Amino acid sequence: MDYQNIIVTREENVAVVTFNRPKVLNALNHETMVELSAAMDELGADPNVHCIILTGAGEKAFVAGADINELRAIPDAATGAGFAAWGQAILFKMENLQKPVIAAINGYALGGGCELAMACDIRLAADTARLGQPEINLGIIPGYGGTQRLPRLVGKGRAKLLILSGDMIPAQEALRIGLVDMVVPAAELMDKARELARKIASKGPLAVAYAKNCVNVGAETDLVTACAYEASQFGLSCGTADRTEGTTAFLEKRPAQFKGK
Ligand code: CAA
């Protein structure tokens, strides 16, 4: 696909997807979401891509939310529900991709931007970033999963505090409450994200996918069912050539050469 609103680059086994509408702080309009969806299909199917980084163009914003021009034009409740369900489906696709997605939050991550980051596997934030769910200020509520993923990450009380007040919080506060996983100086954000992505990309991609699946599935089910699921995914990992290579390499005291088989 010929992307107009995002930039997709590949560096060895790592792909970087950059939201590229800096004049509107990388707000997510319809076309951008279509392109994000297509990029997930493309990168998900590319065996050379083992890990994906999402970030925003410019120094100011990761993504400042859904495009408010489009929100203003929604004619009725049914269209609004469809708008949200469609966006949610794209974030589910990304969340369930069989490769990790790292959010490198380089600035504002608001509304749909915060929701996008929360659907990623790991969140790194620049110390200058600010996060929040300000939809309430627009007379609407989060629609790309924010009312659900936020309490799962930070607890019900803190989620309600953010969603009902519409307040933004700085990166350090987001780290304290568990909304992001690491805060780094802004100038080092992409280096840190690449370093982490390369580390993950060097592991066996099948094992990485099985581990991601287990955490995702387990977070939404009871412990007994989740452990049964883990056992099945562990079993799949034991059936791979990468298991033979990883365990043999350890015993031979050499680095493993994983093949994703
Ligand atoms: N949609 C459309 N345009 C946006 C935008 C958005 N989400 N966020 C910013 N912009 C535009 C502004 O309108 C402005 O455009 P002009 O230059 O043409 O005036 C440009 O980006 C720069 O923004 P500001 O001048 O406002 O920059 P600032 O530094 O003064 O403020 C900000 C930055 C605090 C992030 C402010 O832009 C802001 O509050 N943005 C809106 C954030 C928001 O409410 N996001 C939630 C959207 S709803 C949603 O996402 C629903 C959902 O769950 C899916």
Side-chain angles (χ1 to χ4, degrees), residues 21 32 34 45 50 59 82 129 139 159-160 163 170 173 177 195 201 227 249:
R21 302 180 74 217
T32 307
V34 168
H50 294 184
E59 293 184 354
K160 286 177 183 167
I163 293 167
E173 174 65 359
I177 66 174
E195 187 185 321
C227 284

Side-chain angles (χ1 to χ4, degrees), residues 21-28 60-61 63-71 83-84 87 108-115 130 132-138 140-146 168:
R21 302 180 74 217
K23 284 187 182 154
V24 288
L25 306 185
N26 305 320
L28 299 170
K60 219 169 150 183
V63 167
D67 192 308
I68 296 171
N69 297 292
E70 290 186 357
L71 292 172
F83 174 96
Y108 289 115
L110 302 174
C114 189
E115 293 168 306
R130 293 175 72 78
Q133 297 287 160
E135 289 90 342
I136 207 84
N137 299 326
L138 301 170
I140 55 172
I141 70 167
Y144 288 172
M168 288 184 232

Side-chain angles (χ1 to χ4, degrees), residues 76-92:
D76 52 38
T79 310
F83 174 96
W86 177 75
Q88 288 173 4
I90 294 168
L91 296 198
F92 274 130

Side-chain angles (χ1 to χ4, degrees), residues 6-28:
I6 61 173
I7 301 168
V8 178
T9 57
R10 290 172 170 76
E11 303 156 11
E12 296 176 11
N13 294 135
V14 174
V16 179
V17 176
T18 306
F19 293 91
N20 190 31
R21 302 180 74 217
K23 284 187 182 154
V24 288
L25 306 185
N26 305 320
L28 299 170

Side-chain angles (χ1 to χ4, degrees), residues 35-253:
E35 291 183 15
L36 172 64
S37 180
M40 289 302 126
D41 289 336
E42 181 190 329
L43 299 174
D46 184 341
N48 292 321
V49 172
H50 294 184
C51 192
I52 299 165
I53 299 170
L54 298 192
T55 194
E59 293 184 354
K60 219 169 150 183
F62 172 68
V63 167
D67 192 308
I68 296 171
N69 297 292
E70 290 186 357
L71 292 172
R72 187 167 183 277
I74 291 174
D76 52 38
T79 310
F83 174 96
W86 177 75
Q88 288 173 4
I90 294 168
L91 296 198
F92 274 130
K93 179 195 287 190
M94 186 179 80
E95 189 170 49
N96 294 318
L97 205 70
Q98 294 299 288
K99 351 194 133 167
V101 183
I102 297 170
I105 305 169
N106 55 308
Y108 289 115
L110 302 174
C114 189
E115 293 168 306
L116 179 70
M118 289 192 288
C120 291
D121 296 294
I122 300 168
R123 282 158 292 284
L124 270 54
D127 54 2
T128 51
R130 293 175 72 78
L131 297 91
Q133 297 287 160
E135 289 90 342
I136 207 84
N137 299 326
L138 301 170
I140 55 172
I141 70 167
Y144 288 172
T147 62
Q148 302 309 308
R149 288 194 181 90
L150 187 58
R152 282 162 169 75
L153 279 173
V154 307
K156 280 166 68 175
R158 285 170 176 151
K160 286 177 183 167
L161 190 58
L162 284 169
I163 293 167
L164 302 182
S165 70
D167 284 347
M168 288 184 232
I169 54 171
Q172 278 299 343
E173 174 65 359
L175 179 67
R176 192 185 71 78
I177 66 174
L179 177 52
V180 301
D181 306 302
M182 199 189 296
V183 175
V184 300
E188 296 170 22
L189 177 68
M190 287 312 290
D191 284 348
K192 288 282 181 204
R194 285 188 171 91
E195 187 185 321
L196 176 62
R198 280 197 290 265
K199 179 182 280 187
I200 295 171
S202 73
K203 316 294 181 193
L206 292 172
V208 167
Y210 300 146
K212 170 172 170 167
N213 292 343
C214 285
V215 177
N216 279 358
V217 170
E220 300 304 328
T221 190
D222 67 277
L223 183 61
V224 172
T225 310
C227 284
Y229 183 76
E230 184 192 70
S232 75
Q233 296 283 294
F234 179 83
L236 288 178
S237 72
C238 289
T240 64
D242 281 350
R243 184 279 307 253
T244 309
E245 167 62 9
T247 51
T248 304
F250 176 83
L251 296 172
E252 292 178 352
K253 303 190 187 307

